[in-house]
Amino acid sequence: MFSFKIEKKSSQCKARTGVIKTNHGTIKTPVFMPVGTRATVKAMNNDELKSIGSQIILSNTYHLYLKPGQEIIRKADGLHKFMNWDKPILTDSGGFQVFSLSDTRKISEEGVEFRSHIDGSKHFISPEKSMEIQNDLGSDIMMAFDECCPYPASHEYTENSMMRTLRWLKRCKEYHKNTENQNLFGIIQGGMFKDLREYSAKSTIEFDLPGYAVGGLSVGEPRNMMIDLLDFTTDFMPEDKPRYLMGVGSPDYLFEAVEKGIDMCDCVLPTRIARNGTALTSKGKLVVKNAKYKEDFSPLDDDCDCYACKNHTRAYIRHLLNVDEILGARLLSIHNLRFLIRLMEKIRTAIEEDKYMEFKDEFYQNYGYDYHKNCDNIK
């Protein structure tokens, strides 16, 4: 019901291709996963998600727990039927959202007490509660409840947090009710300290879970530090299990993740910047709202095969954005998600042909990104 098989390894770096099998279909890796926070990828319907090649989507435990509530989704027979999505779903544990409420939450060994960002009502999520909610959601992949350390944080604080995350993982595994249909991934923490990253990785994999995630990176630390720590951490992760880097979605970070041996990535970035009028293109970011595109009747990206690029121009999409028509944000969302999904498809092909580094250099040259300038001092 769940398996992972590596199909090809790069001879140039840690990059690899593989296939994850779940009850709701297969996932070719490496993969970018669109984020559907509240049981929908913003501005997208399911047919559009499938048309752009989405293999799996994410939903958010914290938000769905607050609205519509786990009881509603349980009565609907799970999230797949509730949102009519027949492909795999991954749910996060709610930990990141809870811990981001730094002014309204209190962490204890038992769990986290917090106030809703919606109405200020008081709630409590423990490892067991997170598992209960995710069991009701019925996701194919569910994440253990963890604490995502802020940046910066002291070694002492980070170590205490990491050890508590490991104790919470034990409780998550013991409480997890639906092991035949749902697959629990552990999350490696340890902040910006290599000794803690190593300890967390070695201790987490002792739980012998179906897959493992790297958490607590891309939280404000310098780019070089993030890449160095990711490279260090993946050395301690099993080769025969999927590796998931949480919360990255810019093209350069996707390249770095794959190069360090990551199989799965997710981020709200493509839909968020779409709503703000920005497109990802093969030649860099394009702020469609800018006046210079008022009479630009070319597609967002000549190299893109998405619906927006095949049917509409920059000038038209700019017009929609400037008169607050929702179609503008929808078209940009379709485009940005297709851009990242297609980028991962191209990366998979490059790995299969053992030309990963050549493709990376070619992409950066066209993208206008000075890789060496932005990646100096990487160990």
Side-chain angles (χ1 to χ4, degrees):
M1 285 173 281
F2 183 91
S3 65
F4 174 64
K5 179 182 179 182
I6 296 174
E7 294 194 325
K8 176 72 175 181
K9 293 182 180 180
S10 171
S11 68
Q12 301 171 319
C13 59
K14 297 180 187 177
R16 73 257 190 96
T17 66
V19 176
I20 299 172
K21 291 187 177 181
T22 76
N23 284 351
H24 288 93
T26 61
I27 305 160
K28 294 182 179 180
T29 65
V31 61
F32 176 78
M33 304 179 287
V35 177
T37 301
R38 297 179 176 90
T40 176
V41 177
K42 287 188 185 298
M44 303 276 289
N45 66 42
N46 290 346
D47 288 340
E48 289 166 338
L49 287 170
K50 291 177 180 179
S51 73
I52 62 172
S54 302
Q55 302 183 74
I56 175 175
I57 62 172
L58 272 72
S59 282
N60 183 268
T61 297
Y62 165 82
H63 287 285
L64 294 176
Y65 161 72
L66 292 177
K67 284 190 174 182
Q70 68 189 92
E71 298 84 2
I72 297 292
I73 297 177
R74 182 177 65 247
K75 289 177 181 178
D77 201 17
L79 192 55
H80 287 91
K81 290 188 177 180
F82 184 63
M83 63 182 296
N84 194 29
W85 175 256
D86 59 5
K87 289 179 176 289
I89 295 175
L90 183 152
T91 48
D92 62 15
S93 68
F96 181 82
Q97 284 70 31
V98 168
F99 295 116
S100 68
L101 302 170
S102 57
D103 296 331
T104 60
R105 52 93 168 139
K106 181 180 179 182
I107 305 171
S108 68
E109 185 64 27
E110 285 306 305
V112 184
E113 181 183 282
F114 64 97
R115 290 192 178 275
S116 165
H117 72 285
I118 299 172
D119 59 10
S121 58
K122 188 179 290 188
H123 299 269
F124 183 82
I125 292 183
S126 64
E128 292 81 6
K129 184 63 176 178
S130 177
M131 293 298 97
E132 175 191 301
I133 298 168
Q134 292 185 77
N135 284 155
D136 284 343
L137 296 178
S139 51
D140 300 274
I141 298 171
M142 49 195 290
M143 304 306 299
F145 195 60
D146 68 321
E147 178 182 358
C148 180
C149 268
Y151 175 83
S154 69
H155 189 280
E156 180 182 10
Y157 179 95
T158 305
E159 182 176 13
N160 290 336
S161 169
M162 180 265 295
M163 294 300 295
R164 183 168 50 236
T165 288
L166 289 170
R167 293 191 294 272
W168 283 357
L169 176 56
K170 182 176 185 292
R171 291 164 58 185
C172 286
K173 184 177 181 181
E174 290 173 349
Y175 189 87
H176 177 27
K177 303 293 188 184
N178 190 14
T179 56
E180 290 188 2
N181 298 304
Q182 293 181 277
N183 303 277
L184 177 64
F185 279 26
I187 304 175
I188 297 167
Q189 291 290 349
M192 306 301 142
F193 303 98
K194 286 187 174 180
D195 61 324
L196 300 182
R197 284 279 166 187
E198 179 177 352
Y199 185 90
S200 178
K202 289 179 176 179
S203 300
T204 301
I205 65 175
E206 288 180 0
F207 286 87
D208 191 25
L209 300 169
Y212 301 95
V214 180
L217 292 181
S218 191
V219 291
E221 75 277 10
R223 186 180 190 281
N224 293 346
M225 179 184 289
M226 178 269 191
I227 296 171
D228 183 34
L229 283 165
L230 178 62
D231 192 23
F232 177 82
T233 303
T234 54
D235 281 343
F236 300 100
M237 300 174 74
E239 281 208 351
D240 62 345
K241 302 286 182 74
R243 301 167 177 167
Y244 167 27
L245 176 60
M246 307 179 78
V248 299
S250 62
D252 55 319
Y253 270 28
L254 293 182
F255 271 105
E256 295 306 327
V258 171
E259 190 169 324
K260 309 313 179 194
I262 292 295
D263 306 298
M264 308 163 69
C265 295
D266 79 285
C267 196
V268 298
L269 177 140
T271 49
R272 178 173 290 170
I273 66 173
R275 296 192 300 277
N276 292 325
T278 299
L280 296 168
T281 80
S282 57
K283 296 182 180 179
K285 288 184 180 179
L286 188 153
V287 182
V288 189
K289 281 188 172 182
N290 285 353
K292 64 180 179 180
Y293 301 116
K294 184 176 182 178
E295 298 181 8
D296 188 336
F297 303 110
S298 61
L300 294 170
D301 190 340
D302 290 327
D303 188 45
C304 184
D305 62 0
C306 80
Y307 173 86
C309 288
K310 284 184 174 180
N311 292 279
H312 299 294
T313 66
R314 297 175 179 182
Y316 176 66
I317 296 173
R318 177 183 180 274
H319 158 70
L320 294 175
L321 294 168
N322 285 336
V323 295
D324 295 323
E325 285 290 347
I326 195 170
L327 180 59
R330 280 179 34 75
L331 292 173
L332 281 181
S333 296
I334 291 169
H335 168 77
N336 284 348
L337 285 172
R338 177 56 184 159
F339 178 83
L340 293 182
I341 288 170
R342 190 168 180 231
L343 175 60
M344 283 301 216
E345 293 171 354
K346 292 179 179 179
I347 287 175
R348 284 200 298 272
T349 299
I351 297 170
E352 290 166 356
E353 297 175 352
D354 207 18
K355 296 180 179 178
Y356 172 81
M357 297 306 297
E358 291 86 344
F359 175 65
K360 177 183 176 182
D361 290 342
E362 177 187 352
F363 177 87
Y364 278 154
Q365 184 175 358
N366 292 329
Y367 198 67
Y369 185 86
D370 190 337
Y371 172 76
H372 298 288
K373 178 180 178 181
N374 285 278
C375 298
D376 56 352
N377 301 321
I378 294 178
K379 296 179 182 178

